[in-house]
């Protein structure tokens, strides 16, 4: 147990062993309810606890709970944490490697316990421990955008919400390929997992998914609870050779919603043709007038494949993945690049995990990275936050420089960074955690 800013606050870290209590009175259920308080969710149904326990155990999550033993007698008992935090590890595709990334999730601090340094203590000690374990990156998806910059995270990938009018004028101009069919519920979860694994292998910026994802895509789990959602259906696209290359899970918004709307639950395509064929399938559904999706790429090719591009509307954009480098040499050295060049980067890190100067040498897309003496004149200085945003190429060095987050010292430093870190497609992550 570790003391926090007052003697009453202690923290417990635990993993979910086979004998973990799956009842309402167990520490796992109380941790889930404490997390639910932070995200304004309801109390966990007792029948759901074993399913969540199985999922969290499969993800190998480490759970943190901060407890206050000195609350008023009427307060929620001390078995319910006043703050939660959790971590797990999944791969992120950085081109040249599937890099193991330290994922931070389930971060809550009860409003009654703010300004006690609880989050800062948890996250700083966790990041240092993850670095000591040899993990080169920490990543998260943020519910609030103002929290994580002060801990060195930079916003790195983005998606957009789209609406597509699929009435008479909807037409995809690309030639048809393969076939797309509705699949049975008994096969849906397996196919979703297999197809996503192939997507992960070819998609720069993608993060491996946790246990719940194929179950939600198949309808085995609903969005709010791990119980069957009978409104979800899943279609799979097979290429000309009969291999499954993409799937779309969807549910009808209801007859009270007009225009009549189909909402995409999940869409994963391993090839451009599979992606367009899944949309062709959606556009052929009877009685549907509009299809909505919240996870489209910012460089989505769909509108360019339509006979009438005005069928396609962007309704909003959102950040997805936030990146925090823990080991600059390992992280930069594992990534693939574009072209060749050499730069000395000075990284500033208020948590002192990565601050220092590094020489990045890229030859035909392959990097070599070394730490150098601080007295070496840098070509550019940037915060670890900015480096996190730059890392996947979703934010250009020129934009960071214009925003004051990156200071060039060499005349061609910004252009060279844009070239080396740039990609023909934006990084794309559709895994939330």
């Amino acid at each position: 147990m570790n003391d926090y800013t007052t003697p009453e606050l202690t923290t417990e870290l635990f993993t979910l062993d086979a004998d973990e209590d799956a009842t309402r009175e167990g520490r796992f259920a109380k941790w889930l309810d404490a997390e639910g308080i932070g995200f304004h969710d309801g109390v966990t149904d007792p029948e759901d606890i074993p399913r969540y326990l199985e999922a969290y155990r499969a993800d190998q999550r480490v759970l943190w709970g901060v407890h206050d033993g000195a609350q008023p007698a009427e307060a929620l008992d001390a078995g319910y944490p006043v703050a939660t935090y959790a971590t797990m590890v999944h791969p992120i595709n950085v081109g040249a490697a599937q890099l193991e990334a330290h994922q931070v999730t389930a971060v809550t601090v009860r409003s009654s316990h703010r300004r006690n340094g609880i989050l800062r203590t948890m996250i700083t000690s966790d990041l240092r421990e993850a670095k000591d374990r040899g993990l080169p990156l920490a990543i998260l998806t943020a519910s609030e955008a103002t929290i994580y910059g002060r801990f060195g995270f930079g916003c790195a990938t983005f998606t957009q919400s789209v609406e597509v009018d699929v009435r008479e004028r909807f037409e995809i101009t690309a030639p048809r390929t393969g076939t797309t069919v509705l699949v049975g519920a008994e096969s849906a979860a397996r196919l979703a997992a297999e197809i996503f694994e192939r997507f992960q292998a070819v998609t720069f910026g993608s993060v491996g998914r946790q246990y719940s994802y194929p179950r939600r895509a198949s309808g085995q789990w609903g969005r709010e609870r791990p119980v069957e959602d009978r409104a979800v259906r899943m279609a799979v696209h097979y290429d000309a050779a009969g291999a499954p290359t993409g799937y779309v899970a969807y549910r009808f918004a209801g007859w009270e919603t007009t225009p009549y709307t189909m909402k995409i639950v999940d869409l994963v395509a391993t090839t451009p043709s599979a992606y367009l064929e899944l949309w062709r399938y959606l556009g052929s559904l009877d009685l549907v007038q509009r299809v909505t999706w919240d996870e489209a790429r910012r460089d989505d090719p769909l509108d360019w494949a339509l006979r009438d591009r005005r069928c396609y509307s962007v309704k909003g954009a959102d950040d997805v993945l936030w990146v925090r480098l823990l080991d600059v040499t390992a992280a930069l050295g594992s990534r693939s690049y574009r072209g060749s060049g050499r730069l000395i980067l000075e990284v500033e890190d208020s948590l002192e995990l990565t601050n220092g100067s590094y020489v990045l040498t890229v030859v035909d897309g392959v990097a070599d990275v070394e730490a150098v003496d601080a007295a070496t004149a840098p070509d550019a200085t940037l915060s670890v936050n900015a480096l996190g945003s730059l890392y996947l190429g979703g934010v250009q060095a020129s934009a960071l420089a214009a925003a004051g987050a990156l200071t060039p010292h060499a005349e061609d430093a910004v252009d060279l960074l844009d070239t080396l870190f740039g990609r023909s497609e934006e990084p794309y992550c559709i895994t939330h955690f």
Side-chain angles (χ1 to χ4, degrees), residues 2 30 40 46-47 72 103-104 120 123 127 145 150 165 197 240 242 250 256 279 285 301 323 341 356 373 389 399 411:
N2 296 323
K30 291 182 177 181
H40 309 300
E47 67 188 81
Q103 297 169 271
V104 175
R120 176 165 290 277
I123 197 167
L127 293 176
R150 65 182 185 267
D165 184 340
E197 186 175 355
Y250 55 91
E256 68 281 0
W279 273 104
L285 294 171
V323 172
D373 190 273
S389 293
E411 184 177 351

Side-chain angles (χ1 to χ4, degrees), residues 145-157:
T146 58
I147 296 175
Y148 298 102
R150 65 182 185 267
F151 301 112
F153 288 86
C155 187
T157 75

Side-chain angles (χ1 to χ4, degrees), residues 29 31 82 89 91-93 113 127 155 169 177 189 198-199 203 217 220 244 255 264 280 318 348 379 404-405 428:
W31 186 94
V82 298
V89 175
I92 180 171
N93 184 326
H113 288 73
L127 293 176
C155 187
R169 63 192 181 125
T177 61
R198 296 177 192 136
F199 171 88
T203 306
Q220 289 180 14
W255 296 111
I264 294 176
R280 199 191 305 272
D318 203 0
E348 297 176 334
D379 296 305
Y428 187 44

Side-chain angles (χ1 to χ4, degrees), residues 45-61:
D45 287 88
E47 67 188 81
D48 296 344
I49 296 169
R51 297 189 185 101
Y52 283 128
L53 182 58
E54 181 182 8
Y56 280 39
R57 188 181 292 131
D59 295 334
Q60 297 184 6
R61 300 192 190 210

Side-chain angles (χ1 to χ4, degrees), residues 159-418:
T159 56
Q160 58 187 15
S161 298
V162 301
E163 289 183 2
V164 182
D165 184 340
V166 293
R167 287 174 286 194
E168 290 80 5
R169 63 192 181 125
F170 177 86
E171 181 186 355
I172 290 176
T173 59
R176 289 180 180 272
T177 61
T179 184
T180 305
V181 299
L182 197 65
V183 297
E186 67 280 1
S187 301
R190 174 184 58 81
L191 285 167
E194 290 175 0
I195 292 167
F196 183 83
E197 186 175 355
R198 296 177 192 136
F199 171 88
Q200 172 72 19
V202 298
T203 306
F204 190 89
S206 178
V207 173
R209 284 182 158 179
Q210 52 266 39
Y211 178 94
S212 60
Y213 260 98
R215 286 153 185 82
R216 290 198 169 101
S218 68
Q220 289 180 14
W221 283 25
R223 181 175 176 82
E224 304 298 330
R225 293 183 58 202
V227 295
E228 185 180 13
D229 184 347
R230 297 181 181 180
V232 171
R233 292 181 170 85
M234 194 174 101
V236 171
H237 179 70
Y238 295 83
D239 65 16
T245 55
Y247 72 84
V248 61
Y250 55 91
R251 68 189 330 274
F252 187 53
W255 296 111
E256 68 281 0
T257 299
T258 55
Y260 297 143
T261 300
M262 195 65 75
K263 295 185 175 183
I264 294 176
V265 174
D266 196 20
L267 191 158
V268 178
T270 63
T271 66
S273 59
Y275 179 71
L276 294 182
E277 289 304 321
L278 291 170
W279 273 104
R280 199 191 305 272
Y281 172 89
L282 292 167
S284 301
L285 294 171
D286 285 340
L287 306 178
V288 175
Q289 299 170 318
R290 178 177 63 186
V291 177
T292 64
W293 189 31
D294 292 333
E295 301 291 340
R297 305 180 68 106
R298 285 199 306 188
D299 53 355
D300 190 0
L302 175 62
D303 56 336
W304 297 103
L306 296 174
R307 180 77 63 190
D308 183 351
R309 292 187 64 243
R310 295 182 183 180
C311 292
Y312 183 101
S313 300
V314 177
K315 297 301 180 181
D318 203 0
D319 56 78
V320 180
L321 202 63
W322 291 61
V323 172
R324 206 271 189 224
L325 274 69
L326 301 175
D327 184 331
V328 173
T329 301
L332 292 184
S334 299
R335 187 196 192 275
S336 59
Y337 296 85
R338 184 172 61 179
S340 302
R342 182 180 184 276
L343 286 160
I344 297 174
L345 302 177
E346 181 185 28
V347 180
E348 297 176 334
D349 184 350
S350 63
L351 298 188
E352 299 185 349
L353 296 176
T354 62
N355 48 312
S357 294
Y358 305 85
V359 57
L360 169 65
T361 305
V362 178
V363 178
D364 295 332
V366 179
D368 179 73
V369 186
E370 293 182 13
V372 295
D373 190 273
T376 306
D379 296 305
T381 299
L382 71 170
S383 66
V384 69
N385 314 62
L387 185 56
S389 293
L390 178 66
Y391 181 69
L392 295 175
V395 182
Q396 289 187 307
S398 51
L400 294 168
L406 182 155
T407 303
H409 306 296
E411 184 177 351
D412 63 344
V414 171
D415 288 343
L416 184 53
L417 284 167
D418 278 343

